[in-house]
Amino acid sequence: MGKIIQLDTHLSNMIAAGEVVENMASVIKELMENAIDAQASSIQIHLRNYGLTSIQIIDDGEGMDASDLTMAFKRHATSKIKTSHDLYRIASLGFRGEALPSIASVAKITIESSPNAEHGHRLIIQNGSVTHQDIGPPRKGTAIKVEQLFYNTPARLKHLKSEQKELSFIVDYVNKTALAHPHIRFQLTHDQKTLFQTSGDGNILKILHEIYPLEIIKNMISFEAKNQYFDISGFLCKPAYTRSTRQQIALYVNHRIIKNNALLHAVVSGYSTYLPKHKYPIVYMNINVDPLFIDVNIHPQKLEVKLTEQKNLEQLIIETIDTHLSKENLIPQIKKEYEPAKHPRSFNFDEASDKIVEESKQTSYLETSEHPPSSVLESTQKLPYLEYIGQYEGTYLLFQSEQGLYLIDQHAAAERIRYEQYYHAMQTDTKHVQPLMIPLTIPLSNQEMIALKDAKSIIENIGLTIDLSDSQQLIIHEIPNWFLKGDEADYAERMVRHVLHKDQISVGELIDQLAKDLACKHSIKANHYITTHEVQALLKALKQTKNPFTCPHGRPTIIQFQRTEIEKMFKRIV
Ligand code: ZN
Ligand code: ZN
């Protein structure tokens, strides 16, 4: 009888584990929260083999005696809700009572704990039940070791992302937790190498510097503001240092990490015109508020928090960011790498093709222009002979032929041409590289650097030689010849953004994304007058593309009004 109940519990724990224990980062999250709840002043996280072999968390918190220890592995053992504040704490930290049994159902756990320096206890839990119990070292606090994670749930194991990606989730979580608890000393190691460490002296800026390079730290603006309900403070990074995701916006309510899309949106709105589209800032913000204003959506994994008077807070955030940014001198301190590309560039396509021909002499990637392969010959016939008659709205080029009236979108057309040039260069011209006398450096966070490790061979595949040994900057020693002179840093940075933007990017995807991005950036924009001579060069180049009909994003480059349709509209024919 007892056995049946036991099995039931084990099964339900495994089911709960499916919800709570998603990956290594979620195990670490649960265990770190336990340590924080136990009032630890020091928390060490040691990983072996990305946490797959073992995750060990050692704290110097309150510790447990023998009976507390056994209770901790029973479901719903410890959630005692007394006040709404407790409810918030419990909900935002996850379900205390469920985490340990859930982890124990999918891993082997060894736990040593002691409430004082005199009596220590040790438990070993396997298959969800205690297999061993004895005396442990008398050290105040708890040391828990999770081994063979997901050994009995191979499906879960299969769902893990790449090892580097999983590690980057862990680093990101530890980073953000350290920012929430500046008075706790944190240390994160992987295979005995320290990845992150804080001193616990309460200095937020010092913790930020453990995460970001000095260059970014020097460009952080501290802020503080309040209204009748809320009190906000933290650091904003100047808009010159943007990110392609919102991941670097860290929001806390009463020093707890939260998720709240409306507040994220308010932060981005505060930066409004300072940021290009799809770029996000680096922000650390703590919101202090009476817990009575906090409304928690209780779900073990969601940290979604809603606040009463939230609109009021959104307004405060937008105004505070806006006023702090407008006070600053935001002209980026020109460092070669961050020099914005000169814009608008010359739209002289003759010059561009000259340059390409000249480059092709060195690099050979456009040799095809001298000996056009059959595909080029075919596409010259894809577009009819067109006679240029003028420009409309500084955006559309008008042409006529026997068949009717044609409009070409000058940006879309130029983009198609550039896209194919870049694409071709990236695919075929990886051997023509130039070593850099002074290596290029791109400042990145520790987490971004780790995420980048997966993509090293992909980046090198398109002709760069990179060095990932520094934890906060990417060092580039060699670049492909097709990188535009003076724009090398911009090219490299865009490439990094594309790599970091996706979970896993293939060489093909990277080439496609980067070629689209560079093509859009370096193509003539709408509302720009171009000379007849430039129009002819553009048309000629468009005719030579493989697909002259759409831009790389799928918009049409050319549309046609048939002569007969026009005649019908004027009732010249019926
Ligand atoms: Zn575009
Ligand atoms: Zn486009």
Side-chain angles (χ1 to χ4, degrees):
M1 167 93 189
K3 269 192 176 165
I4 292 164
I5 293 165
Q6 185 80 30
L7 180 67
D8 249 10
T9 317
H10 183 55
L11 267 180
S12 70
N13 281 335
M14 279 189 69
I15 292 160
E19 284 171 40
V20 182
V21 191
E22 242 179 81
N23 53 15
M24 282 76 89
S26 59
V27 171
I28 288 166
K29 172 177 170 289
E30 296 298 337
L31 299 180
M32 278 174 69
E33 283 167 0
N34 282 346
I36 292 165
D37 270 5
Q39 312 284 329
S41 63
S42 156
I43 301 174
Q44 297 170 38
I45 306 109
H46 303 300
L47 310 175
R48 279 188 46 217
N49 184 25
Y50 304 91
L52 283 163
T53 304
S54 71
I55 296 168
Q56 192 180 21
I57 308 236
I58 304 169
D59 71 54
D60 63 351
E62 283 160 357
M64 290 172 270
D65 61 23
S67 73
D68 276 356
L69 202 52
T70 351
M71 278 297 280
F73 286 90
K74 298 233 162 77
R75 231 154 127 67
H76 300 292
T78 56
S79 350
K80 287 183 222 112
I81 301 168
K82 278 176 278 173
T83 67
S84 64
H85 183 73
D86 275 0
L87 177 68
Y88 162 55
R89 259 171 41 83
I90 285 159
S92 65
L93 287 182
F95 289 104
R96 293 277 58 82
E98 293 186 15
L100 277 181
S102 300
I103 297 169
S105 70
V106 292
K108 177 192 169 192
I109 291 190
T110 307
I111 184 164
E112 292 170 355
S113 195
S114 172
N116 52 48
E118 279 145 46
H119 303 286
H121 309 279
R122 177 189 293 125
L123 284 189
I124 296 176
I125 295 122
Q126 253 170 323
N127 270 328
S129 41
V130 177
T131 57
H132 189 89
Q133 194 166 4
D134 66 356
I135 291 170
R139 190 193 63 85
K140 186 171 178 290
T142 302
I144 184 161
K145 193 170 190 177
V146 178
E147 291 166 289
Q148 302 158 23
L149 187 61
F150 303 128
Y151 73 99
N152 57 353
T153 51
R156 183 61 59 173
L157 210 50
K158 242 199 213 149
H159 270 98
L160 293 177
K161 302 261 163 59
S162 81
E163 291 166 337
Q164 295 293 344
K165 206 81 192 173
E166 292 290 340
L167 186 60
S168 90
F169 293 150
I170 295 171
V171 171
D172 187 53
Y173 181 75
V174 179
N175 283 345
K176 286 181 173 152
T177 307
L179 284 169
H181 301 279
H183 292 285
I184 300 178
R185 231 170 328 125
F186 289 93
Q187 188 193 20
L188 169 67
T189 71
H190 177 233
D191 290 337
Q192 302 193 323
K193 196 180 156 227
T194 299
L195 299 181
F196 177 75
Q197 196 165 20
T198 66
S199 68
D201 69 359
N203 187 329
I204 293 278
L205 207 54
K206 263 164 77 180
I207 303 171
L208 285 170
H209 185 28
E210 287 295 323
I211 303 170
Y212 301 104
L214 187 61
E215 188 180 337
I216 287 178
I217 299 303
K218 281 202 252 171
N219 284 286
M220 290 276 196
I221 305 162
S222 81
F223 68 92
E224 246 179 59
K226 63 170 148 196
N227 64 17
Q228 63 182 123
Y229 308 104
F230 304 97
D231 197 327
I232 62 175
S233 64
F235 293 92
L236 307 168
C237 193
K238 289 186 190 170
Y241 300 87
T242 55
R243 288 298 181 261
S244 55
T245 69
R246 300 175 178 194
Q247 204 178 12
Q248 311 293 330
I249 305 175
L251 298 180
Y252 300 82
V253 166
N254 297 349
H255 296 282
R256 305 254 177 220
I257 304 170
I258 58 146
K259 274 189 195 147
N260 181 313
N261 281 329
L263 295 183
L264 278 179
H265 189 78
V267 170
V268 177
S269 307
Y271 273 85
S272 65
T273 52
Y274 298 104
L275 284 183
K277 221 173 156 190
H278 306 305
K279 293 292 166 53
Y280 302 96
I282 301 171
V283 173
Y284 160 82
M285 181 184 297
N286 183 48
I287 299 153
N288 269 320
V289 63
D290 185 322
L292 287 175
F293 280 73
I294 300 167
D295 173 18
V296 186
N297 172 8
I298 301 177
H299 182 284
Q301 277 303 299
K302 278 187 195 145
L303 308 169
E304 197 74 43
V305 163
K306 270 201 81 178
L307 298 156
T308 320
E309 296 295 333
Q310 184 164 306
K311 282 267 168 269
N312 202 299
L313 174 61
E314 288 165 25
Q315 204 47 43
L316 178 67
I317 291 174
I318 295 172
E319 280 168 17
T320 306
I321 295 178
D322 188 60
T323 40
H324 278 77
L325 290 178
S326 60
K327 270 192 286 193
E328 288 287 322
N329 169 14
L330 290 175
I331 301 166
Q333 302 302 303
I334 301 293
K335 230 190 109 187
K336 194 80 196 79
E337 296 92 296
Y338 278 91
E339 200 175 334
K342 301 103 226 146
H343 230 104
R345 46 186 57 255
S346 152
F347 296 120
N348 188 327
F349 274 86
D350 263 357
E351 206 178 277
S353 7
D354 284 347
K355 187 169 180 286
I356 287 158
V357 171
E358 201 184 280
E359 275 169 10
S360 72
K361 282 178 191 148
Q362 309 157 11
T363 67
S364 84
Y365 78 74
L366 272 181
E367 266 165 13
T368 48
S369 61
E370 279 164 341
H371 309 286
S374 55
S375 67
V376 173
L377 286 176
E378 274 163 35
S379 70
T380 41
Q381 283 134 33
K382 283 183 191 159
L383 293 183
Y385 170 78
L386 294 171
E387 183 194 343
Y388 181 54
I389 46 181
Q391 193 189 29
Y392 169 62
E393 289 265 293
T395 302
Y396 307 102
L397 308 173
L398 274 64
F399 298 85
Q400 61 182 349
S401 85
E402 293 278 286
Q403 280 72 42
L405 177 68
Y406 295 79
L407 268 72
I408 286 183
D409 178 320
Q410 63 193 35
H411 175 70
E415 207 175 50
R416 160 56 58 184
I417 298 161
R418 297 265 189 235
Y419 170 76
E420 292 196 6
Q421 288 169 348
Y422 281 117
Y423 195 94
H424 186 74
M426 280 186 245
Q427 255 198 336
T428 56
D429 186 34
T430 52
K431 277 176 215 75
H432 297 89
V433 294
Q434 37 180 312
L436 296 167
M437 298 278 280
I438 305 159
L440 267 177
T441 55
I442 299 178
L444 293 168
S445 78
N446 54 357
Q447 178 244 336
E448 288 169 325
M449 281 305 294
I450 288 170
L452 216 52
K453 290 207 167 124
D454 264 348
K456 187 165 194 280
S457 64
I458 286 162
I459 294 171
E460 299 201 323
N461 227 300
I462 63 167
L464 288 93
T465 306
I466 58 171
D467 175 353
L468 296 168
S469 62
D470 191 295
S471 67
Q472 292 181 335
Q473 61 175 355
L474 170 67
I475 303 167
I476 301 169
H477 292 291
E478 246 175 22
I479 53 167
N481 274 351
W482 55 263
F483 267 37
L484 194 62
K485 252 205 160 47
D487 266 358
E488 294 89 348
D490 179 66
Y491 277 44
E493 234 190 303
R494 280 165 192 270
M495 179 208 60
V496 168
R497 258 187 251 129
H498 287 294
V499 171
L500 291 176
H501 195 68
K502 275 205 79 178
D503 259 358
Q504 245 154 354
I505 198 163
S506 66
V507 180
E509 280 170 319
L510 176 60
I511 290 177
D512 178 60
Q513 297 288 324
L514 188 57
K516 277 180 190 161
D517 182 12
L518 291 171
C520 182
K521 184 180 179 236
H522 294 296
S523 293
I524 182 173
K525 299 288 183 279
N527 295 310
H528 190 94
Y529 177 76
I530 61 177
T531 65
T532 307
H533 189 65
E534 286 168 329
V535 171
Q536 297 303 349
L538 178 74
L539 184 61
K540 191 176 151 206
L542 182 65
K543 282 184 170 179
Q544 287 173 359
T545 60
K546 286 197 186 120
N547 169 9
F549 306 112
T550 61
C551 86
H553 308 94
R555 282 205 302 112
T557 52
I558 183 165
I559 58 171
Q560 180 197 3
F561 295 88
Q562 282 188 4
R563 198 188 65 208
T564 48
E565 288 306 309
I566 295 170
E567 285 172 335
K568 271 188 209 159
M569 286 168 91
F570 285 107
K571 311 271 185 220
R572 284 177 177 271
I573 56 166
V574 284

